Amino acid sequence: MTAPQPVLDVRGLIMDFGGLRALDNINIQVNSGEIVALIGPNGAGKTTFFNCITGLYEPTMGDMIIHTPGKAPVRLNRLKPNVVTENGLARTFQNIRLFQKMTVLENVMVARHCRTKSGIAGAIFRGRKTRREEQEMVEHSYRLLEKVGLDSYVNELAQELPYGAQRRLEIARALATEPILLLLDEPAAGMNPKETHELDQLITRIKEEEGVSILLIEHDMKLVMSISDRIYVLDYGQMIAQGTPREVSENRNVIKAYLGEAFDA
Amino acid sequence: MKTDWKPLMQRVSSEMIKSIVVSLWFVFLTFPLMVMKIRPLDQTIEWRWMNLVYVGVGAFFLSFVWRYLMARKERGSEKDEGDSWQKRIGMKIRSDKRISVSGLIGVGIFVLIFPFLFSSYQTSIMITALMYVMLGLGLNIVVGLAGLLDLGYVAFYAVGAYFYALMNHHFGIGFWAALPFAGGLAAVFGILLGFPVLRLKGDYLAIVTLGFGEIIRLILENWNELSYGPSGIAGISRPGFFGFEFTLQQHTVYLFYIMVALVALTTIVVSRLRNSRIGRAWIALREDEVACQAMGIDKTRTKLTAFALGATWAGFVGCIFAAKTTFINPASFTFMESAMILSIVVLGGMGSIVGVMVGALVLILLPEYLRAFSEYRMLAFGASMVIIMVFRPQGIISGIRQRYEFRKQPQQEVSP
């Protein structure tokens, strides 16, 4: 095995909420071109971990570093969420957070914000530069919608989409920020087996075509086992296991966390 | 045969009872106002029993109408008919260039000959209405697009007005020189208000902005050295036109055209902003603040631009207001004004430019033309506001998002 190129490197992450330690000394690495899963029972701290690295929460201790190829590594601690996104981390949300009253295309166009720069004057006078940028934005967004299979919905309002399509729109929107690491928070939640299967293929395709690494939180074990290169398991804020899907599925601690003590007896 | 009639009779009688109850309730409510008339001079009470009958009969029949409309509205909302009906008309106008262009030309011609068709009193009212159109469009940026409930918008209006008044009073600076700076200064005040309220949302934001509006008014009322206190500033120059001398009537016509041009300018700028990168960031901020930040939008900057650009228009209108009335004092900048402008935005339709225009014209012109009803004027005004909100909670005209059309190749993009 050649030396893996890390994209995200999190070391010794601790997150306290008052007296409660939600994350305790977490170390997670995501390498370039990998699909890594973060699993664990409800309340294990998975989403808290996402919120820490995307700047929504400020971790109590620890280092979070993102390595963009060809650029100096950036420490993500204390950066605002939008700056984190600018540095190449994009996420979806567990409970869908689309811009409901905007059209599907506009939802994706909004996410182009940090990669474009026309300002107030540009918007008012609509010079050639602004028009070109706007055109580029529309085309780029449309291509992404094609990729996730939503090109027939461009002018619908986001709130009118069926549930599975809303999930895919969130992925397209996150991709529009041109991330190097895509964070998916339970992308298969509420999907039927057929939709989950399609999502499986979509995630693999996105990894190949867009050249992004993926870190996902998921409860659907079939999906996790089939697409992940590596898996981290959290329980009560502790990292209890890590390794390949096979290693993790045979790990005693993991089985205990999921099925309880009685399994041993 | 008998069985067919029974449910109908039951229904009719139950509806009758409902209406009778309503009419009795209204008779009771309006009794002191409509029936009794006290004559303090000879200390007698006049009993106007006929009014009692009028109110009773009127309420009886109106309650039928009201219930019928409510039932229709309920059926409509089940099928979502109201919205699609409006959507279809909106699409038709947008897709058919001929309708929109000829409509625009028609409105344009009417506006241009307006001062010659109507008296100078009517023109003056129209100027006021257009001023509120501009204020509404400005507040629409803050409330309708960025979703920041601002109850102190009148403060920026006051800043613009006092800026021109003081500059004119002390240095004799003319209207046209002051106009851009009035807008600019209001924008600065917008940012000043923006900073402390960056973390606030909804009700809390509303309370702080309300306080800000009152602070500005109280400063103007009490800082006599600066603002001449409650007595205000008089003798402000009207807008000049290359040194021509105008009569009062000509001034009104001139101001009318200035207002028309400025409203046109505002409309173009706001509609362009709305469908720009910045406008989309505002709407995203309104829809979901967390997701908006996670998509790489700087919340601080987006909020501040919304406050600044919204305030700018109020600054412009303030400057015009000072030039129109030639006299200003703090009494013109009370909370009522803020509430009025907010009503225009909400009633007209948040986020919609045409909606805000219609809202402003309705809310400003209605009380003027209701003068025929003398003392019932404000009652009718309030009632019409309630009725609009009951039947169209999304506003008279709700905002429609820009549509994009794609052919087979995504390169060929046509935006209407």
Side-chain angles (χ1 to χ4, degrees):
Chain A
M1 218 166 118
T2 54
Q5 197 69 39
V7 173
L8 178 73
D9 196 351
V10 178
R11 286 181 193 278
L13 188 73
I14 294 175
M15 180 76 219
D16 288 337
F17 292 112
L20 179 81
R21 181 148 292 188
L23 292 173
D24 191 3
N25 198 21
I26 302 297
N27 298 296
I28 285 182
Q29 280 81 43
V30 180
N31 297 325
S32 175
E34 259 187 334
I35 297 181
V36 175
L38 182 61
I39 62 170
N42 285 329
K46 304 179 298 289
T47 300
T48 306
F49 177 77
F50 267 26
N51 288 345
C52 280
I53 54 176
T54 52
L56 288 180
Y57 295 159
E58 197 181 299
T60 317
M61 274 225 277
D63 286 311
M64 307 174 294
I65 291 158
I66 188 161
H67 298 268
T68 314
K71 280 188 204 160
V74 178
R75 194 160 177 270
L76 297 176
N77 297 49
R78 296 179 155 273
L79 291 185
K80 286 204 285 182
N82 57 303
V83 185
V84 172
T85 308
E86 269 171 46
N87 279 302
L89 234 70
R91 70 173 294 179
T92 65
F93 293 90
Q94 185 179 354
N95 38 356
I96 298 177
R97 281 175 169 270
L98 289 169
F99 307 124
Q100 302 287 353
K101 295 250 154 58
M102 300 176 88
T103 66
V104 169
L105 187 74
E106 280 176 326
N107 262 277
V108 185
M109 283 166 80
V110 164
R112 296 291 301 155
H113 191 93
C114 63
R115 303 292 171 215
T116 48
K117 47 183 176 299
S118 61
I120 297 166
I124 294 171
F125 298 111
R126 228 177 247 185
R128 194 189 300 161
K129 213 165 147 196
T130 311
R131 284 203 307 267
R132 202 189 306 135
E133 194 177 82
E134 190 84 354
Q135 178 82 8
E136 182 274 336
M137 213 188 273
V138 170
E139 281 166 19
H140 189 111
S141 307
Y142 186 72
R143 267 201 306 280
L144 286 171
L145 286 174
E146 273 185 323
K147 188 154 287 176
V148 299
L150 292 175
D151 46 321
S152 51
Y153 291 114
V154 270
N155 289 319
E156 302 286 328
L157 292 186
Q159 63 185 11
E160 287 161 6
L161 289 188
Y163 186 80
Q166 293 199 2
R167 286 249 173 243
R168 278 180 287 149
L169 178 54
E170 272 219 326
I171 296 177
R173 190 179 65 171
L175 282 176
T177 64
E178 295 179 20
I180 55 167
L181 177 63
L182 184 60
L183 307 168
L184 303 174
D185 197 345
E186 297 200 21
M191 284 189 172
N192 61 35
K194 183 170 160 284
E195 285 174 321
T196 310
H197 181 65
E198 284 167 4
L199 183 75
D200 180 336
Q201 293 174 325
L202 177 67
I203 293 175
T204 322
R205 209 173 72 224
I206 284 170
K207 191 196 89 173
E208 301 293 330
E209 291 174 6
E210 301 285 312
V212 294
S213 314
I214 289 164
L215 176 60
L216 81 157
I217 294 175
E218 189 46 72
H219 281 300
D220 188 312
M221 280 307 142
K222 200 162 150 264
L223 178 74
V224 169
M225 292 299 163
S226 73
I227 65 170
S228 323
D229 297 310
R230 284 187 304 120
I231 296 176
Y232 289 94
V233 190
L234 278 183
D235 191 25
Y236 292 110
Q238 308 270 349
M239 181 76 74
I240 59 167
Q242 63 181 65
T244 62
R246 199 188 164 83
E247 284 165 8
V248 165
S249 62
E250 287 165 359
N251 187 303
R252 284 195 153 271
N253 287 334
V254 177
I255 296 167
K256 208 158 73 184
Y258 271 91
L259 300 176
E261 211 65 68
F263 187 80
D264 263 356
Chain B
M1 275 298 141
K2 233 178 186 178
T3 46
D4 283 339
W5 282 99
K6 221 173 180 181
L8 184 69
M9 285 305 285
Q10 255 170 0
R11 201 162 155 235
V12 167
S13 66
S14 88
E15 293 287 306
M16 292 286 261
I17 289 167
K18 268 190 211 164
S19 284
I20 289 169
V21 171
V22 167
S23 81
L24 284 178
W25 177 240
F26 267 85
V27 166
F28 174 71
L29 276 184
T30 54
F31 187 81
L33 203 74
M34 301 297 287
V35 180
M36 296 196 297
K37 188 171 188 184
I38 298 168
R39 292 193 175 148
L41 280 181
D42 44 1
Q43 298 200 335
T44 55
I45 297 175
E46 189 190 342
W47 300 91
R48 297 172 295 178
W49 294 110
M50 274 321 277
N51 279 353
L52 187 92
V53 178
Y54 295 146
V55 169
V57 173
F60 182 78
F61 285 109
L62 279 178
S63 80
F64 275 115
V65 176
W66 177 260
R67 279 208 304 280
Y68 168 72
L69 288 175
M70 285 305 270
R72 227 182 65 157
K73 187 197 158 210
E74 226 129 83
R75 256 182 287 135
S77 68
E78 269 167 30
K79 282 185 280 176
D80 214 16
E81 203 172 27
D83 207 59
S84 71
W85 162 82
Q86 200 199 8
K87 237 182 184 169
R88 255 183 288 139
I89 290 194
M91 297 274 225
K92 181 93 183 146
I93 291 173
R94 279 167 157 257
S95 60
D96 198 337
K97 271 258 151 66
R98 271 177 314 183
I99 299 180
S100 57
V101 167
S102 53
L104 217 61
I105 291 172
V107 172
I109 290 173
F110 176 72
V111 165
L112 286 181
I113 57 172
F114 185 88
F116 304 105
L117 291 181
F118 296 95
S119 69
S120 128
Y121 166 70
Q122 300 283 354
T123 313
S124 178
I125 292 173
M126 201 41 110
I127 292 172
T128 309
L130 289 175
M131 278 165 51
Y132 278 91
V133 168
M134 231 169 119
L135 286 170
L137 288 173
L139 187 62
N140 191 29
I141 292 179
V142 185
V143 178
L145 297 183
L148 305 162
L149 185 52
D150 185 351
L151 292 182
Y153 192 63
V154 75
F156 309 121
Y157 183 37
V159 165
Y162 266 88
F163 174 76
Y164 173 52
L166 289 171
M167 284 295 142
N168 188 260
H169 183 78
H170 290 298
F171 308 111
I173 288 174
F175 172 79
W176 290 109
L179 186 65
F181 293 103
L185 189 70
V188 171
F189 270 78
I191 292 171
L192 279 184
L193 166 69
F195 267 114
V197 301
L198 276 174
R199 294 159 173 278
L200 303 179
K201 267 192 289 195
D203 329 7
Y204 304 101
L205 178 69
I207 291 166
V208 175
T209 51
L210 175 69
F212 178 78
E214 285 301 286
I215 287 169
I216 296 282
R217 188 179 62 83
L218 287 172
I219 288 176
L220 293 175
E221 216 151 74
N222 292 296
W223 194 358
N224 287 329
E225 294 76 25
L226 177 83
S227 65
Y228 300 96
S231 52
I233 302 167
I236 304 163
S237 321
R238 294 200 161 84
F241 184 71
F242 302 113
F244 276 99
E245 291 289 327
F246 282 143
T247 63
L248 186 60
Q249 211 160 4
Q250 284 168 328
H251 256 304
T252 310
V253 175
Y254 179 45
L255 200 62
F256 176 81
Y257 285 124
I258 293 176
M259 258 342 280
V260 169
L262 281 173
V263 165
L265 177 80
T266 315
T267 312
I268 293 169
V269 170
V270 172
S271 77
R272 283 188 165 190
L273 278 174
R274 191 173 60 157
N275 285 316
S276 74
R277 174 173 171 268
I278 299 197
R280 282 189 296 268
W282 286 337
I283 300 169
L285 189 76
R286 176 190 77 193
E287 291 295 308
D288 193 320
E289 216 173 287
V290 173
C292 168
Q293 277 182 289
M295 290 307 124
I297 292 167
D298 190 342
K299 189 177 90 175
T300 311
R301 189 188 288 185
T302 308
K303 273 194 183 177
L304 288 182
T305 48
F307 272 119
L309 282 174
T312 310
W313 302 109
F316 287 148
V317 184
C319 186
I320 296 159
F321 175 73
K324 176 179 182 262
T325 53
T326 71
F327 165 76
I328 55 168
N329 73 349
S332 307
F333 308 106
T334 56
F335 171 66
M336 260 315 286
E337 289 299 303
S338 289
M340 196 69 192
I341 303 164
L342 189 67
S343 313
I344 286 171
V345 175
V346 175
L347 221 78
M350 283 207 259
S352 159
I353 291 174
V354 184
V356 169
M357 287 179 169
V358 174
L361 294 179
V362 167
L363 284 198
I364 302 304
L365 298 183
L366 204 61
E368 290 298 333
Y369 295 124
L370 282 176
R371 278 188 198 282
F373 297 94
S374 60
E375 66 246 54
Y376 300 108
R377 179 168 79 108
M378 284 330 244
L379 190 70
F381 179 58
S384 57
M385 264 168 102
V386 170
I387 288 170
I388 293 175
M389 280 292 101
V390 166
F391 288 102
R392 282 203 72 82
Q394 72 275 47
I396 299 171
I397 295 170
S398 51
I400 304 171
R401 297 304 308 161
Q402 176 153 2
R403 297 176 61 82
Y404 296 87
E405 277 166 33
F406 292 93
R407 309 258 163 73
K408 278 279 180 284
Q409 290 97 0
Q411 280 81 9
Q412 285 179 306
E413 176 262 329
V414 186
S415 57

